[in-house]
Amino acid sequence: MTRFPTPRHAALIAVTELRRGWRQFRGKGRVQQGVLGVAVAFGAVAVVAVAFGGYAAGSAVAADEVAAPLEVAALVPAAMFTGAVLFTTYLTAIQLGNVDQRDALLTTVPHADVVGGVVLAAFVRIGGLFVVPLVVGAAAFAVGVGSAVAFVLVAGSLLMVLVAAFVVGFALGLGATHLFGRSQVLVRHRLAIGMLGFIAYLWVLTSNRFDEVVAPLVTATRASPVAWFADLALVTVVPGADPVQAAVAAVGGVAVVVVGLRAAVWVAGVHWYADPVQAGPTAASSASPTLLARVLGQPAAWVAKKSWVRARRSPLKLVYVVYPLFVLFQPVQEAIRVGTVTATLPAVVAVYGAWATGAAFGLNPLGDEGAVLPITVTTGVRGRAVVTGLLAAGLVPGATVTTVATAALAIASPLEGLAVVGVTAGAAALCVGAAGVATGVGVEFPRYEAATVARSRSVVVPSTWAFLTYSVVLLVLAAPATAMQVPVVTEAVAAATGLSPAAVQIGGVAGAVVVIVPVAWYGIRSAERTFDAYTVD
């Protein structure tokens, strides 16, 4: 039977969660703490801006300078409710729904108390960021309009909207997590789905289409009773405010919180006590890597398969590969704007694809083994087999996708035939070279400890030095192969050197190959020697 959280237990769990979060924050480096300090500084500026805006709005309402104050004010609760629901739903799905020491908690207190504690702690940490601006803005509005009662009503209305949206978003996020986890198809392909979702998110933010996506949701929310919170906030200062709608908003807000919390408790009971659905064997994971074994040898083939299985089971290990995708949005956006593939897009895709190919599995060869590293190096498997398997793990999917995508974009672009061949060949060569460079850099800057990429989720990712060194080296090595395929650069170099454009394009690819091959070879050999010389203390 679904019941509500016990206040005392929920408060104790919330305090424990907040203390644990504070200890984790204190244990972080000064850089991360400095980033938070900068964010707080910007937040203080935002609070000042909200104060000025609230006072100006109150003064305008008092002077009757706003033609339709209720229609304008209705946008505030509508936008707040929409944004808070979307944000909380997303955050619950990736973080809040995964409670620290959940099994231990569920054996000591009912799951309803755990829900109450998690929701309360999350609201203090996240919702608290918005409480101060809301209260300050409400106080400034009350000063501007000249009514102390307005402060209580405006602040109470906005806080009720925020709390209701937070509880509803938490219930929706838990429900989405449960439904996602009950489908073998979704579990099996969660890495691809997560990457597509992240790409879509970045595209919305960087393509100036945020308003087009969110505006319809805000409009729909404004047409709902959520807009009546504007009547509740302004019922004492705006003559047109409907007291009946204000009363319904007050009662309805409390009802939404109660129903949303009850729904969250019910969904949590279903989700947290359910057995996790296994992804099930796929063709790639269940079958022996016969083809790879014939080409690379059995040990290297199993190293490659092991890398793929780990990535499928823990997609967060590869989250850093997606971050640099923002470099593609400007050229993609330009291509969409002009209605054709630009001459620079194939080269950009080639560079990013090569970077991702090398970074995915080769940028932390030692650290990725984790606790089984001593076993790996004492099994008799040579470093060559390990490194070859890691290279294959990145090259089989990465080089294939990068080369095909680059070729398709180059054919659709204004590039001529020889340039198409050149940029495609450059993409393939860069993928091979990037994989070798990544392994060499990775063994020089290993990282063994896990990093927290989301609350309660820690995975071993490459070190910052490995990430930066690899990126800089690859960009320098990639410059000749890709830049010389862009018509503007090709013509400029041809004019300066007296060579034909075709010779410049071929020379760019050849030059990159000549430079990257020895660097990649040295990186591979360095990684092999490191594995062979590794000793267990």
Side-chain angles (χ1 to χ4, degrees), residues 9 18 23 30 35 68 115 152 228 253 297 347 399 414 449 469 475 494 506:
H9 290 169
L18 293 173
R23 286 197 300 267
R30 293 184 177 180
V35 170
V115 171
V152 177
W228 295 352
E449 67 277 4
T469 304
L475 288 177
I506 295 175

Side-chain angles (χ1 to χ4, degrees), residues 22-405:
W22 174 247
R23 286 197 300 267
Q24 291 176 350
F25 171 73
R26 291 179 61 184
K28 293 181 178 179
R30 293 184 177 180
V31 174
Q32 292 175 298
Q33 294 177 359
V35 170
L36 180 61
V38 173
V40 171
F42 277 104
V45 175
V47 169
V48 174
V50 168
F52 277 105
Y55 180 79
S59 300
V61 170
D64 199 18
E65 297 176 354
V66 183
L70 286 176
E71 294 183 9
V72 175
L75 284 173
V76 177
M80 280 184 52
F81 188 85
T82 303
V85 167
L86 293 176
F87 180 71
T88 309
T89 300
Y90 169 76
L91 203 61
T92 301
I94 66 170
Q95 288 188 20
L96 302 180
N98 298 295
V99 184
D100 289 336
Q101 305 297 326
R102 187 178 69 193
D103 294 341
L105 284 173
L106 294 178
T107 58
T108 55
V109 295
H111 72 277
D113 297 344
V114 179
V115 171
V118 171
V119 170
L120 181 59
F123 185 80
V124 171
R125 282 198 305 261
I126 302 167
L129 299 176
F130 304 96
V131 170
V132 174
L134 290 182
V135 172
V136 171
F141 178 85
V143 172
V145 81
S147 172
V149 178
F151 167 72
V152 177
L153 293 177
V154 172
S157 301
L158 296 181
L159 290 175
M160 184 175 293
V161 170
L162 185 62
V163 172
F166 195 88
V167 174
V168 170
F170 187 85
L172 292 176
L174 273 182
T177 303
H178 180 71
L179 293 177
F180 190 95
R182 301 309 297 172
S183 170
Q184 286 191 354
V185 175
L186 295 178
V187 172
R188 183 181 305 161
H189 301 289
R190 62 184 181 271
L191 174 60
I193 295 172
M195 292 183 64
L196 291 176
F198 185 77
I199 292 171
Y201 169 74
L202 287 180
W203 177 77
V204 169
L205 290 182
T206 59
S207 61
N208 297 324
R209 296 180 180 271
F210 185 77
D211 292 340
E212 297 180 15
V213 176
V214 178
L217 299 176
V218 176
T219 301
T221 306
R222 184 183 179 187
S224 71
V226 173
W228 295 352
F229 280 96
D231 294 89
L232 177 60
L234 304 178
V235 68
T236 60
V237 294
V238 175
D242 190 335
V244 175
Q245 292 183 356
V248 173
V251 176
V254 176
V256 169
V257 173
V258 172
V259 173
L261 188 58
R262 190 177 184 89
V265 171
W266 179 78
V267 174
V270 174
H271 175 58
W272 287 344
Y273 290 108
D275 293 330
V277 174
Q278 301 298 324
T282 62
S285 62
S286 60
S288 175
T290 306
L291 181 59
L292 280 178
R294 291 174 181 174
V295 177
L296 307 177
Q298 191 67 47
W302 281 109
V303 170
K305 179 182 177 181
K306 173 210 65 178
S307 300
W308 292 333
V309 171
R310 285 181 176 177
R312 176 173 58 82
R313 291 176 177 175
S314 181
L316 284 176
K317 287 177 63 66
L318 301 181
V319 68
Y320 63 91
V321 178
V322 186
Y323 289 155
L325 266 178
F326 69 89
V327 301
L328 294 179
F329 285 98
Q330 194 281 330
V332 169
Q333 183 180 353
E334 180 66 15
I336 295 175
R337 187 184 66 82
V338 302
T340 184
V341 178
T342 59
T344 58
L345 185 57
V348 175
V349 170
V351 173
Y352 169 75
W355 182 93
T357 298
F361 299 103
L363 203 49
N364 193 23
L366 297 173
D368 282 340
E369 291 298 309
V372 301
L373 178 59
I375 300 176
T376 302
V377 298
T378 56
T379 55
V381 177
R382 301 293 298 174
R384 174 168 296 183
V386 175
V387 175
T388 302
L390 292 175
L391 294 174
L395 287 172
V396 170
T400 303
V401 173
T402 300
T403 305
V404 171

